[in-house]
Amino acid sequence: MKKKRVRILLVGIFLMTVAVAFVYLTTRSAAPTGVVQVISGEKTAEVCLSDLDLRSVQGTISNAKGDITAVDALGIPLEKLLADIGITEYTTVSIISDDAYHADLSAAELHGEREVYLVAEGEQARLIVFGDANSKRNVSHVVRIDVV
Amino acid sequence: MKNNRLKRIIFFALCCDFGLFAKRLIAPLTNMITDALHIPGGIATSFSLMFLVIAAILMPGGFCSTIMSAAQSVIAFSFGMVGSMGLLAPIGYIVPGFAIDLVLMATAGGALPCADRMALANGIAAASAAFTANCIVFHLRGIVLLLYVCTAFSSGIFCGLLGSKIVQRLAPVFRAEVKYSFKTRKGKEELSI
């Protein structure tokens, strides 16, 4: 009996995974490649990287092991990107990748504490935060920016 | 050193290494699935935890997986394989190892077959690994977190069942020499799959 219960539990978890995957994949909002969705309260804007006035971004970032990587890409300061679409007042900005990984940035960091850029990486967008001790917040394949 | 003890230690070390490096080997394949599901991983970890479950079933003594996972975290540090967890990487290794030991101990006296115990241990360990990684690195919320943990659990179950097949093959090698760590109340050997 106990053996049967465990089998039912294991099959149940598998079926639950399939159901959750179905719900998630059918309800998630997928942005087209190269487009970043910016959501601020009721306001939603779609920003196409290729339409932006990108400039050269150069510097170095460090990972948790202390390895230094050079960054040489075209990008735009995140603060400027938000200002260009009329978002100037906020406390926190969440940068979300395609696989739902996210990094949070405070308004103070965007206003000068850190150099924060959204750079083009192929057809995708990538967040670069200069000055962090590790590269955890350098989110690749950015698809959404939530502004609070 | 007795021959059987040496054999056990070599197997123990091999499972440690397999567990650590198997993740790297299988990652390109599993990333295809996790990319399609838009989650940051979970399946490769389940596969690497399978080796800890196999060793925990075959090795004598309790807390085998916890010791192995601690050894893995030391090896990972020495090779610089800390990933995005950084200094917190040992937590990411030890939590699932401890979960394996707890599940195997909790189910030791029951009538559960070895395959089910391994599936359960692997599944719960993979889910705990996913949850730990989420707390330290990913910070996922809502349905994505649920999908991430469920995918890890399901793949853990699958890997646990796969591991039981490997144990079935390895059991005769160790049967003559190893006193099994977990015995049923009736004193029967655990590995009668």
Side-chain angles (χ1 to χ4, degrees):
Chain A
M1 189 64 190
K2 198 174 177 183
K3 179 182 166 184
K4 215 173 187 178
R5 277 209 303 265
V6 172
R7 286 280 159 98
I8 291 167
L9 176 76
L10 299 182
V11 172
I13 288 163
F14 181 74
L15 291 176
M16 186 179 149
T17 308
V18 174
V20 172
F22 179 77
V23 171
Y24 173 58
L25 293 175
T26 51
T27 56
R28 72 188 289 273
S29 55
T33 309
V35 172
V36 178
Q37 217 174 31
V38 184
I39 301 170
S40 174
E42 299 286 298
K43 189 178 170 185
T44 303
E46 286 197 341
V47 179
C48 186
L49 268 185
S50 54
D51 296 343
L52 298 173
D53 180 23
L54 304 179
R55 66 177 179 84
S56 175
V57 177
Q58 290 180 324
T60 56
I61 51 171
S62 167
N63 67 11
K65 286 180 266 179
D67 298 335
I68 307 289
T69 309
V71 175
D72 187 2
L74 290 174
I76 183 171
L78 189 58
E79 186 189 14
K80 184 177 182 304
L81 186 146
L82 295 176
D84 285 352
I85 53 174
I87 301 169
T88 51
E89 289 190 10
Y90 44 84
T91 52
T92 312
V93 178
S94 288
I95 316 296
I96 300 152
S97 79
D98 185 50
D99 62 7
Y101 176 69
H102 78 280
D104 293 333
L105 291 155
S106 67
E109 285 177 314
L110 286 181
H111 293 325
E113 267 184 24
R114 289 273 192 277
E115 281 186 76
V116 185
Y117 292 91
L118 201 66
V119 302
E121 196 175 55
E123 287 186 352
Q124 296 165 356
R126 184 179 182 187
L127 181 76
I128 297 287
V129 185
F130 289 117
D132 275 2
N134 66 43
S135 51
K136 259 195 222 176
R137 294 202 291 186
N138 295 328
V139 180
S140 55
H141 202 171
V142 175
V143 291
R144 206 174 82 222
I145 298 172
D146 283 350
V147 183
V148 182
Chain B
M1 191 180 284
K2 282 181 184 173
N3 190 32
N4 59 351
R5 187 171 162 77
L6 183 67
K7 196 189 274 183
R8 257 184 266 149
I9 290 171
I10 290 170
F11 183 72
F12 187 89
L14 268 178
C15 281
C16 262
D17 294 341
F18 280 153
L20 201 59
F21 296 105
K23 196 174 174 177
R24 299 272 166 133
L25 287 175
I26 202 172
L29 183 70
T30 57
N31 283 352
M32 287 165 68
I33 302 168
T34 53
D35 283 353
L37 291 172
H38 302 282
I39 52 171
I43 300 175
T45 307
S46 305
F47 185 71
S48 70
L49 288 170
M50 181 183 80
F51 294 97
L52 264 66
V53 179
I54 291 171
I57 284 286
L58 290 172
M59 292 291 108
F63 295 103
C64 174
S65 290
T66 310
I67 296 165
M68 285 177 75
S69 54
Q72 279 186 338
S73 66
V74 172
I75 298 169
F77 257 110
S78 63
F79 280 100
M81 293 164 60
V82 289
S84 46
M85 286 195 192
L87 286 172
L88 298 174
I91 300 173
Y93 281 102
I94 293 168
V95 167
F98 186 60
I100 291 170
D101 284 330
L102 283 186
V103 175
L104 290 182
M105 282 175 182
T107 56
L112 278 182
C114 190
D116 282 9
R117 287 181 62 211
M118 288 182 74
L120 206 58
N122 210 145
I124 290 174
S128 69
F131 198 73
T132 310
N134 186 60
C135 289
I136 297 173
V137 185
F138 301 125
H139 310 295
L140 304 178
R141 292 166 289 203
I143 194 165
V144 195
L145 173 61
L146 185 64
L147 178 61
Y148 177 44
V149 174
C150 281
T151 305
F153 205 139
S154 296
S155 56
I157 289 168
F158 178 78
C159 291
L161 293 172
L162 181 69
S164 71
K165 299 288 175 199
I166 297 171
V167 166
Q168 214 170 356
R169 298 284 174 97
L170 288 172
V173 178
F174 288 91
R175 192 177 286 273
E177 295 165 349
V178 176
K179 273 189 174 179
Y180 302 111
S181 51
F182 309 119
K183 290 186 174 182
T184 62
R185 281 180 195 140
K186 291 170 189 169
K188 284 181 185 170
E189 281 179 356
E190 177 98 310
L191 277 167
S192 50
I193 304 165

